[in-house]
Amino acid sequence: MRGTRGTRGAKGTIRTRGTSRGRGGSGARGTGSGRRPGTAVVLALALIGGLGAAGPAGAAEPPYPFRDPRLPTAARVDDLLSRLTLDEKVSLLHQWQPAIPRLGIRAFRTGTEALHGVAWLGEATVFPQALGLASTWDPALVERVGSAVGDEVRGFQRERPAGWGLNVWAPVVNPLRDPRWGRNEEGYSEDPYLTGSMATAYGTGLTGGDPDHLRTAPTLKHFLGNNNEVDRTTTSSDLRPRVLKEYEEPAFTPAVEAGAATGVMSSYNLVNGRPATVNPALDELRGRSPRGLLNVTDAYAPNNLAGTGSQKYYETLAEGNAAALKAGVDSFTTDDTNAGPTTASVETALEKGLLEESDVDAAAGHILGVRVRLGEFDPGGGRYGSVDASAVNSPAHRALAREAAADAAVLLKNTGALPLKASAKDVAVVGPLADTLYTDWYSGTLPYAVTPAEGIAARLGGPVAGSEGVDRITLRNAESGAYVRAGADAGGGPLAEGPAAGTAAEFDVFDWGSGIVTLRSAANGKYVGYDWSGFVNDQAQPNGWFVQQQFALEEQADGTLLLRYAGYETREPWWSNPVYLGPTGPDGRLGLVPEADAARYTRDVVRSGAEEAVAAVEGRDAAVVVVGSMPAINGRENDDREDMGLAPSQEALVRAVRRANPNTVVVVENSYPTTIGALQKEVPAVLWTTHAGQKTGNALADVLFGDVNPAGRLTQTWYRSESDLPSILEYDNIKYDRTYQYFRGEPLHPFGHGLSYTSFRYGKVKRVDGGYEVDVTNTGTRAGDEVVQLYTRQRVSRDKQPLRQLEAFRRVSLEPGRTRTVRLPLAEEDLAHWDVTRSRWVVEGGTYDIAVGASAGDIRSRATLTVRGETIPPRDLSRVTRAENFDDYEGVRLVDESRARGTAVGASGDGAWLSFADTGLGARAGTFRARVSGGGGKVEVRLGSPTGRLVGTATAPATGSVYTYAEVGAPLASAAKGRQDVYLVLEGGIRLSTFSISRAAARPGVG
């Protein structure tokens, strides 16, 4: 795995934390740090520690060793395990762990959401989305945010509301390889090193930095290869070894190795044909942690494994749950609070011999190890037991939320419009996001909301002109003349057709792109949604799992409109209701009807949003247009984006405002790279921010008026078009030129991009002990932060290499005219890549480019590094070679070799092929042998290309099962000799696990 360089320390400092390339995890499933001691050792430690000295406050409670904080975690866990019955240990394996009164043990729950603040428990500080936190490129700040969130989780420990627990499910560390992923807002970056750095920082804040005394116990999501929501439980992410080792795993390992994570959550998808819930890599990852891991499943994922679930990988839940435990899962997140199915299935697995009690002990031990470290069994709750509700939304946390939101903002374009001039006192703030803050699925409950308009008004000390810039319309039945009307009181009411009645028949239409709109009732300011029986205007903003406030206004040939309901559940396979609206009874109440019965409406504009916005900005000193996304609609969990553009009406609004006021600044507030190339050319300044929490408005005002000099940087490539991307289901970044590392096109904005109100000059980059250094000078008139980035490129390699790869970064602060020498660590082993010919890390000898600059596309200083590394020798196929270790391929899928472990290659159709480059066949190859399974077919051995010279064909019989393998072989023609690119062409529905090519014995008299 790539070097896991940590990012703790002073602002922007990057410390080398020790490279671990090629170090294999032990797979040990011990609790604490290593193997648990035997009973005799536990008793001895307990006696030495004095059992009674550290007992709980209640005198009636026995002074058990597991309650003695002076004992090692492993000893305390062993003592507690020895006192639990098998049934009690099994009860610990579900997300909702019951209390064990006889030992004074309280109930415990895994899974408090804490992605960018405490979620779903009540009002708490809401920080910028995770993507925004990473856009600061400031690990020290991110660690402070993690500490604040951890304290707020602790702040609920007196109240313990339903759903609370000290095991938190954060951060999300899936690298953001495709910006169309619905959960893009939850991750950090498309780069695994930057992702690992931010995850380590946030996790360290959550844990408190002391592995023996945890503030909270963070769980990394979602292991592994999880970047699509479409069919997410049935699609398989093909991760060939280089993608796995160089891209996917390095996002997870830094936080694990640093002790900044106490577990991982398995993902919904399959990886190389095997459900991630039973991926043996879960247990292998545990071996990389200094204290072990408590691994959990995603919600309801265990049920997907069984014959009644979507994956149908095992016949019964008992088989599936047994396999999950053996693969490294410790806690089952399923069936909500009902642990019955889980405990019953584990008991059945024990009865049938699918599990041993030692398997249960191991999983329970991992769980109890974390509970011990959380201080649950310590007097007073341990180090963090005194934290109370005063930590929640404290003044310090509110200030930190503002700081983080300002530091995360990225200035994409500026031709002098920003910062707004001191004389700009008359500012208009318009746009659909100008005076509202939207929350996402994993947001906390906002204790208050400072909108962009409010923040700017506060900065100016008075009100600002504004408009949301959306049309207010009526919908009139073209046949009957009746109007669609909403309830007028605060709670809303059922939509029904009737006579026009002022605002009751008026709706504000918000366009979110892809044909989707929301309708907000002018009568009470609430959004219209479906409540499983009809339509009601009762929601403050679109929300819920199915987001039932979505509609489409479908224009017909005669100019009328059909009103289509587009809630997320209409995309589910079980949805059978019609989707069009029409009156369904004598009272005119609207319900769902077939398209043939749908009402046809005329749309009358009561108030033009664009005209109102233009009127608001005309003659003003400046106009700020706030556009962007609605997090519940423009892609989120269970819903990928269809495109990355702004909604058409939002683009039209920006253009109208720009024509009316040349001093127009555009703020794009969303959670993903946006294809705004054409629009960006037409405006003088563009500022991007994620949905940035309760202090969004203050932070934007700080940046727009120059109180904060923007220094946020993009953590993803901003593409010009969706056509720059392959299918979202294609996970091979190397072959398909994904992310800034391999992308060969011209991006709209490169990875690492971000402008400043000042300018920076870079000196010559110099090699120093442990890395490189470069002088950076602030050549402007304002103080500001620069994010100095170091990239490498290997000029010549046996294998396809990244065009550029981030190896180090540092955010530094500089006063005008000042110079700082910035040191950027780089070790030669950081240049390693995964050698598929020998299944290990390798640093090849040769010349490496060192590039330092302000982004991947703005390099300011260059150097070269000559490395005396290895030369990868020709492949030796006389040794058994795993088919997955190919160099290139076409028409194949990576599949599960067995249900338990291993990866094979399956042909998707005839003519599928694998290449094994630069193979040394010797004087003459002898025999091709392969291990195959499936429905039968053949394997052709060809030289030079998939259609090159045929030197042998092995016929594979049908084996009856994809998990039953047969050995097949074929002699090879005399042309199979020397150094060759060998191609295996697969015909028929076969799977290839391993193969070898023996060398023919030398003929007598031939050396």
Side-chain angles (χ1 to χ4, degrees):
M1 304 184 184
R2 291 197 66 236
T4 54
R5 291 151 295 178
T7 53
R8 293 171 54 194
K11 180 176 183 179
T13 300
I14 298 182
R15 298 179 181 172
T16 302
R17 299 191 62 86
T19 274
S20 60
R21 302 181 196 265
R23 174 185 143 205
S26 67
R29 303 189 66 190
T31 301
S33 54
R35 209 168 37 240
R36 294 198 302 272
T39 304
V41 176
V42 172
L43 291 176
L45 289 169
L47 290 172
I48 292 170
L51 300 186
E61 292 190 45
Y64 297 125
F66 73 82
R67 293 192 177 278
D68 188 344
R70 293 171 296 183
L71 295 180
T73 297
R76 298 174 72 183
V77 170
D78 270 358
D79 175 70
L80 181 49
L81 277 175
S82 72
R83 300 176 189 279
L84 297 175
T85 67
L86 178 57
D87 286 345
E88 288 169 339
K89 288 184 286 190
V90 170
S91 75
L92 300 178
L93 306 186
H94 188 263
Q95 178 186 23
W96 294 81
Q97 301 169 30
I100 303 175
R102 68 182 185 84
L103 294 175
I105 296 174
R106 301 181 74 173
F108 185 86
R109 177 185 182 271
T110 63
T112 294
E113 299 293 354
L115 185 60
H116 55 108
V118 184
W120 306 356
L121 297 181
E123 292 183 355
T125 309
V126 178
F127 294 93
Q129 292 174 314
L131 182 65
L133 294 176
S135 298
T136 67
W137 289 62
D138 189 345
L141 174 65
V142 172
E143 182 175 335
R144 288 165 55 207
V145 172
S147 297
V149 175
D151 279 343
E152 296 205 12
V153 173
R154 282 282 182 173
F156 286 97
Q157 65 188 353
R158 301 280 190 274
E159 179 185 350
R160 294 171 68 97
W164 172 86
L166 293 176
N167 173 251
V168 297
W169 287 352
V172 171
V173 299
N174 300 106
L176 304 178
R177 66 182 182 91
D178 194 311
R180 294 169 297 188
W181 186 34
R183 304 184 76 167
N184 197 81
E185 66 201 30
E186 298 181 35
Y188 290 129
S189 172
E190 70 182 30
D191 180 76
Y193 169 53
L194 182 57
T195 294
S197 300
M198 293 302 168
T200 301
Y202 193 68
T204 299
L206 287 171
T207 64
D210 180 348
D212 293 317
H213 301 89
L214 298 172
R215 176 187 276 123
T216 66
T219 301
L220 306 181
K221 301 196 297 188
H222 311 81
F223 194 77
L224 186 68
N226 179 199
N227 279 123
N228 64 275
E229 298 303 293
V230 58
D231 299 327
R232 61 182 181 168
T233 69
T234 55
T235 55
S236 179
S237 304
D238 283 8
L239 304 180
R240 60 166 164 148
R242 282 195 65 197
V243 174
L244 176 67
K245 296 295 184 181
E246 297 175 23
Y247 191 73
E248 291 287 342
E249 286 184 349
F252 286 84
T253 51
V256 169
E257 291 182 336
T262 61
V264 299
M265 173 187 285
S266 61
S267 53
Y268 282 122
N269 54 285
L270 293 82
V271 175
N272 297 347
R274 181 181 297 106
T277 311
V278 292
N279 186 348
L282 287 163
D283 206 33
E284 294 164 8
L285 185 65
R286 196 192 314 277
R288 304 184 71 86
S289 169
R291 295 291 191 278
L293 300 176
L294 189 178
N295 295 333
V296 306
T297 73
D298 210 333
Y300 278 82
N303 293 1
N304 293 334
L305 292 170
T308 56
S310 59
Q311 293 167 341
K312 298 177 174 55
Y313 203 66
Y314 300 95
E315 290 187 8
T316 66
L317 186 61
E319 291 174 281
N321 284 354
L325 279 171
K326 286 183 173 294
V329 165
D330 304 303
S331 178
F332 294 87
T333 311
T334 188
D335 303 307
D336 297 322
T337 60
N338 179 17
T342 294
T343 55
S345 69
V346 173
E347 289 166 356
T348 299
L350 287 165
E351 292 170 3
K352 292 186 173 182
L354 301 174
L355 289 174
E356 302 293 335
E357 186 171 354
S358 59
D359 296 314
V360 175
D361 286 351
H366 299 144
I367 294 165
L368 293 174
V370 167
R371 293 177 67 171
V372 166
R373 293 159 61 203
L374 284 167
E376 179 180 349
F377 308 124
D378 292 358
R383 175 173 297 180
Y384 298 99
S386 62
V387 180
D388 59 24
S390 64
V392 180
N393 194 36
S394 67
H397 294 174
R398 294 196 291 268
L400 181 59
R402 181 172 182 167
E403 178 186 356
D407 282 0
V410 181
L411 184 59
L412 297 177
K413 177 185 178 181
N414 189 24
T415 57
L418 289 176
L420 296 175
K421 295 179 175 59
S423 59
K425 304 296 185 183
D426 189 7
V427 178
V429 187
V430 300
L433 281 79
D435 205 24
T436 190
L437 294 187
Y438 289 119
T439 55
D440 60 68
W441 179 249
Y442 287 106
S443 286
T445 303
L446 293 168
Y448 58 86
V450 182
T451 69
E454 291 170 339
I456 291 172
R459 174 63 173 73
L460 292 174
V464 295
S467 165
E468 290 177 309
V470 300
D471 288 347
R472 178 165 290 183
I473 68 169
T474 60
L475 293 169
R476 183 173 60 87
N477 190 308
E479 181 179 349
S480 69
Y483 286 82
V484 176
R485 297 173 41 172
D489 61 21
L495 261 63
E497 292 187 352
T503 58
E506 296 175 0
F507 300 90
D508 297 324
V509 183
F510 291 80
D511 177 14
W512 301 113
S514 300
I516 299 299
V517 302
T518 52
L519 301 174
R520 188 180 64 193
S521 170
N524 66 354
K526 298 291 182 66
Y527 286 85
V528 175
Y530 184 59
D531 67 358
W532 301 104
S533 61
F535 296 90
V536 184
N537 56 319
D538 63 349
Q539 296 300 310
Q541 66 174 255
N543 66 91
W545 181 253
F546 291 113
V547 193
Q548 296 173 305
Q549 294 78 37
Q550 300 182 79
F551 298 89
L553 301 176
E554 297 183 346
E555 187 169 351
Q556 305 301 296
D558 61 0
T560 62
L561 300 172
L562 297 186
L563 186 55
R564 177 170 63 85
Y565 171 56
Y568 278 154
E569 75 270 34
T570 63
R571 306 182 192 182
E572 297 290 336
W574 48 262
W575 179 266
S576 59
N577 293 341
V579 294
Y580 289 93
L581 273 67
T584 56
D587 60 356
R589 185 171 298 191
L590 294 185
L592 293 173
V593 298
E595 183 175 0
D597 299 328
R600 290 176 177 259
Y601 295 104
T602 60
R603 166 180 169 155
D604 296 315
V605 178
V606 177
R607 183 185 68 204
S608 165
E611 290 177 3
E612 185 181 67
V614 165
V617 305
E618 284 181 329
R620 308 290 178 181
D621 295 335
V624 178
V625 190
V626 190
V627 293
S629 71
M630 200 286 138
I633 292 174
N634 292 106
R636 46 150 273 194
E637 182 172 357
N638 209 37
D639 183 66
D640 292 319
R641 260 175 293 284
E642 297 178 11
D643 63 64
M644 299 180 293
L646 281 179
S649 68
Q650 293 190 27
E651 287 206 20
L653 175 68
V654 171
R655 290 189 171 97
V657 170
R658 166 63 171 156
R659 288 193 296 269
N661 190 321
N663 300 318
T664 292
V665 174
V666 177
V667 175
V668 178
E669 185 180 336
N670 66 9
S671 317
Y672 47 89
T674 312
T675 51
I676 56 170
L679 183 68
Q680 182 174 284
K681 293 178 181 178
E682 302 175 27
V683 295
V686 180
L687 184 73
W688 176 78
T689 176
T690 60
H691 296 279
Q694 64 202 52
K695 287 288 191 179
T696 296
N698 297 129
L700 283 176
D702 291 341
V703 173
L704 292 171
F705 286 92
D707 300 325
V708 171
N709 193 339
R713 301 291 185 263
L714 298 179
T715 68
Q716 290 177 274
T717 302
W718 280 43
Y719 297 96
R720 294 182 180 274
S721 168
E722 290 82 6
S723 64
D724 289 330
L725 296 166
S727 165
I728 196 172
L729 298 178
E730 180 49 70
Y731 277 74
D732 191 341
N733 294 354
I734 300 173
K735 184 176 180 68
Y736 292 97
D737 296 334
R738 273 192 185 278
T739 79
Y740 81 96
Q741 293 184 355
Y742 293 95
F743 181 59
R744 297 178 181 275
E746 183 68 27
L748 176 63
H749 294 298
F751 174 82
H753 172 72
L755 304 177
S756 172
Y757 295 153
T758 190
S759 56
F760 300 94
R761 183 180 67 241
Y762 285 63
K764 182 177 177 57
V765 61
K766 303 174 184 177
R767 189 176 184 187
V768 295
D769 185 34
Y772 286 84
E773 66 180 22
V774 63
D775 288 343
V776 179
T777 303
N778 184 341
T779 56
T781 59
R782 290 174 175 267
D785 287 7
E786 173 71 329
V787 179
V788 184
Q789 304 161 41
L790 185 151
Y791 297 88
T792 64
R793 176 176 177 266
Q794 185 175 346
R795 290 187 179 179
V796 178
S797 173
R798 177 198 181 278
D799 301 309
K800 182 178 179 180
Q801 294 295 333
L803 302 172
R804 61 200 70 81
Q805 183 163 336
L806 181 71
E807 295 287 357
F809 65 89
R810 189 175 180 186
R811 179 165 172 158
V812 295
S813 299
L814 285 167
E815 294 294 324
R818 298 297 299 272
T819 298
R820 288 187 63 178
T821 299
V822 180
R823 180 161 289 196
L824 300 161
L826 181 71
E828 284 193 359
E829 54 263 38
D830 295 334
L831 303 173
H833 76 277
W834 188 255
D835 174 17
V836 293
T837 72
R838 295 171 293 176
S839 294
R840 65 175 177 85
W841 292 102
V842 61
V843 178
E844 290 182 282
T847 301
Y848 293 75
D849 291 323
I850 308 298
V852 175
S855 78
D858 184 7
I859 300 303
R860 308 289 185 87
S861 186
R862 298 179 183 272
T864 58
L865 173 65
T866 300
V867 175
R868 293 183 178 179
E870 295 183 58
T871 297
I872 299 176
R875 276 188 186 264
D876 181 3
L877 296 184
S878 66
R879 295 181 295 190
V880 173
T881 298
R882 298 203 62 82
E884 65 178 312
N885 285 324
F886 48 72
D887 289 294
D888 199 3
Y889 63 95
E890 195 66 56
V892 300
R893 296 301 308 269
L894 295 177
V895 294
D896 48 341
E897 185 176 13
S898 72
R899 284 194 174 92
R901 62 185 61 253
T903 296
V905 176
S908 299
D910 290 350
W913 56 263
L914 306 171
S915 76
F916 299 85
D918 191 25
T919 293
L921 297 177
R924 188 171 72 84
T927 303
F928 170 77
R929 298 189 183 280
R931 186 168 178 261
V932 299
S933 71
K938 61 183 180 179
V939 182
E940 295 179 345
V941 183
R942 292 181 178 269
L943 303 180
S945 76
T947 58
R949 187 164 187 172
L950 178 65
V951 294
T953 301
T955 301
T959 62
S961 167
V962 294
Y963 303 126
T964 301
Y965 287 84
E967 300 287 341
V968 299
L972 298 181
S974 59
K977 61 183 178 180
R979 291 177 72 165
Q980 300 274 2
D981 291 343
V982 173
Y983 285 76
L984 303 183
V985 181
L986 310 181
E987 303 287 345
I990 66 171
R991 292 184 172 196
L992 176 61
S993 171
T994 60
F995 72 96
S996 64
I997 296 177
S998 66
R999 294 177 179 174
R1003 289 176 293 176
V1006 177

